Amino acid sequence: MKCSQTRAIQTHMITYPHLNFHKTLFGGQLMAWLDETAGIAAVRVSRAAIVTASVDHLDFLAPLKASHSVCIDAYVSGVGTRSMEIFAKVIGEDLFTGERYLAGTCFMTFVVPKGASLPENIEPETKEEHFICQGYEARKQVRQAKRQESLDLAQNVDLTIPWN
């Protein structure tokens, strides 16, 4: 399966309800849009009910200002037996000048239910896709180490709430 067959794109206008104190897009809103767009890409490759397993890496590179648009372009960049990695780029645009800028990048992992099948590999076509996909195995190893670290941490987290 080709990266392009999994691609999902959403564009939004940045308006008042989505702004923070700096009159730029609230990061939590961007994260919700990223999860939705990346989830569509994940379902396109799996054709199954997926679950977000992790936001592996999210870099906010430039603020998205009020009255600009934000375009999220996501595609599958690697597959395992039950999980897949999605790459998303966040492109801002000043709608009055037409200037576009890279506002962020993100890698997310989604898991499919037992019994669902994933293709053996994802085939990149563009220069960008080749660059992103070639780093999949290394990112997967880092992700697996971080997962174990998170499980170890969870074993040492106290669940009592101090004010109760």
Side-chain angles (χ1 to χ4, degrees), residues 70-141:
V70 57
C71 178
I72 299 166
D73 180 359
Y75 55 88
V76 176
S77 51
V79 292
T81 53
R82 287 206 44 228
S83 68
M84 68 194 93
E85 176 190 81
I86 313 298
F87 170 71
K89 57 185 171 183
V90 180
I91 302 168
E93 181 180 354
D94 180 329
L95 294 171
F96 296 112
T97 67
E99 176 193 357
R100 289 185 177 167
Y101 52 96
L102 185 62
T105 58
C106 183
F107 288 95
M108 300 177 77
T109 298
F110 290 82
V111 176
V112 297
K114 288 182 180 172
S117 63
L118 293 172
E120 282 189 29
N121 59 34
I122 292 294
E123 183 183 334
E125 298 173 283
T126 68
K127 181 179 175 184
E128 173 190 293
E129 290 168 355
H130 279 279
F131 181 81
I132 298 298
C133 291
Q134 77 183 2
Y136 169 68
E137 288 299 330
R139 287 188 300 272
K140 183 178 178 180
Q141 289 178 356

